[in-house]
Amino acid sequence: MSSPIKLDQTDRKILNILQKHAKITNAQLSKDIDLSPAPTLERVKKLENSGIIESYHAKLNGHLLGLNIYAFVSVKLKNYNKKSHNSFISKIEDIDEVIESHSVTGKGDYLLKVVAKDVSAYEDVVRDRISAIDDVSSLESMVILSTSKDSKVIPVP
Amino acid sequence: MSSPIKLDQTDRKILNILQKHAKITNAQLSKDIDLSPAPTLERVKKLENSGIIESYHAKLNGHLLGLNIYAFVSVKLKNYNKKSHNSFISKIEDIDEVIESHSVTGKGDYLLKVVAKDVSAYEDVVRDRISAIDDVSSLESMVILSTSKDSKVIPVP
DNA sequence: TCTGAAACAGTTGCAAG
DNA sequence: CTTGCAACTGTTTCAGA
């Protein structure tokens, strides 16, 4: 288990700003945290090198791209051995429409997040690609009707 | 309903690259898509201005920050009127540990994504903050044991 | 660890093909 | 669209406090 890395209040400010708005310039970031550009840059690099900042991503608007169905799919497997899990995970990896896959406690074994352009395309993904994996026993769809929060910001302790 | 915006293959390449690696320089991006810097920049601006690119975010490593519990929580409400939904949504908005909230079809009414530093902090959030909302009838936790895919990349049609 | 300044790299806008 | 170039903006390094 890795122990949490020590951060001061300035580091926390940096992380909160970059989670919300990664494209800020170093010059602007330094103003927002009341520091000069040089040490600001150094702190950002340190956060990147330590692995606390993993990566930077553009968030797209799915609707404008014609992706109108978002859903969570709860999956139960037939068997609980390591081979079955690994087999399932590697097949899920290849399905671009599955954008998240988590092993979870509760009634299902995996919870997937799936995106598709319409109900018909969604049906294709669920029936022809996910159900088609032998390791899968049953599925339950939770189609997203609306999203009220998708903050992309985890609370820095 | 908004109709999908027309994109050519070059725009799609840009979107795929920026979803994975938002911090790329315009100069490097232009090389990757075999175009010169000027029109590359113009395309990126167009994608931003059209709203297809919504925002840019730093992805943090929760474990290194001491956030060790991630979970989905399925929530059922007591009532299905608009007032009850709005009340629930606005209260959820204030809980930083709830990083996603989606209204969904299926057994539950909402599916939340929650993060906490340990099981005890998770219990506090679920019991003292989410269950405490009057509109909530019942909850079901699906704690994430492991995540095999979290691509941050939606498939551009 | 910070400041301030100087040197460098990348972006942005524009003209001509 | 491309190339090329200038002006600008932001990054990065470094000596000194």
Side-chain angles (χ1 to χ4, degrees), chain B residues 133-150:
Chain B
I133 301 173
D134 330 343
D135 313 280
V136 171
S137 160
S138 69
L139 295 180
E140 197 186 311
S141 283
M142 290 167 278
V143 177
I144 297 178
L145 301 171
S146 65
T147 293
S148 57
K149 192 172 190 178
D150 188 12

Side-chain angles (χ1 to χ4, degrees), chain A residues 5-53:
Chain A
I5 294 169
K6 282 229 170 180
L7 302 175
D8 65 13
Q9 200 48 51
T10 304
D11 291 322
R12 275 186 275 272
K13 277 189 206 166
I14 291 173
L15 293 177
N16 281 321
I17 292 168
L18 293 182
Q19 282 192 94
K20 288 197 202 95
H21 179 30
K23 272 260 164 132
I24 191 172
T25 62
N26 186 62
Q28 184 59 49
L29 177 62
S30 72
K31 281 177 199 155
D32 291 357
I33 63 171
D34 292 310
L35 212 62
S36 56
T40 301
L41 186 66
E42 199 186 345
R43 279 165 181 267
V44 172
K45 295 283 173 222
K46 196 176 283 179
L47 291 166
E48 287 171 356
N49 293 334
S50 70
I52 290 180
I53 297 175

Side-chain angles (χ1 to χ4, degrees), chain B residues 63-81:
Chain B
H63 279 260
L64 292 179
L65 291 169
L67 293 168
N68 293 299
I69 303 287
Y70 283 79
F72 288 97
V73 179
S74 174
V75 178
K76 275 182 88 68
L77 299 191
K78 285 177 189 156
N79 299 295
Y80 294 98
N81 53 61

Side-chain angles (χ1 to χ4, degrees), chain B residues 8 10-11 14 26 29-30 33-47:
Chain B
D8 65 12
T10 304
D11 292 322
I14 291 173
N26 186 62
L29 178 61
S30 72
I33 64 171
D34 293 311
L35 212 62
S36 55
T40 301
L41 186 65
E42 198 185 346
R43 280 166 180 267
V44 172
K45 295 286 174 220
K46 195 177 284 179
L47 291 166

Side-chain angles (χ1 to χ4, degrees), chain A residues 48-115:
Chain A
E48 287 171 356
N49 293 334
S50 70
I52 290 180
I53 297 175
E54 282 191 344
S55 46
Y56 297 92
H57 304 273
K59 179 185 175 190
L60 307 190
N61 181 315
H63 279 259
L64 292 179
L65 291 167
L67 294 167
N68 293 297
I69 304 288
Y70 283 78
F72 287 98
V73 180
S74 173
V75 178
K76 275 182 88 68
L77 298 190
K78 285 178 190 155
N79 299 294
Y80 295 98
N81 53 60
K82 196 160 196 167
K83 192 172 169 181
S84 191
H85 278 277
N86 288 342
S87 159
F88 175 74
I89 287 171
S90 85
K91 282 163 189 156
I92 285 298
E93 190 58 45
D94 297 335
I95 308 176
D96 288 343
E97 289 84 353
V98 177
I99 57 178
E100 293 182 32
S101 170
H102 310 277
S103 163
V104 292
T105 66
K107 285 169 192 156
D109 297 314
Y110 283 87
L111 191 62
L112 314 179
K113 193 173 193 176
V114 174
V115 57

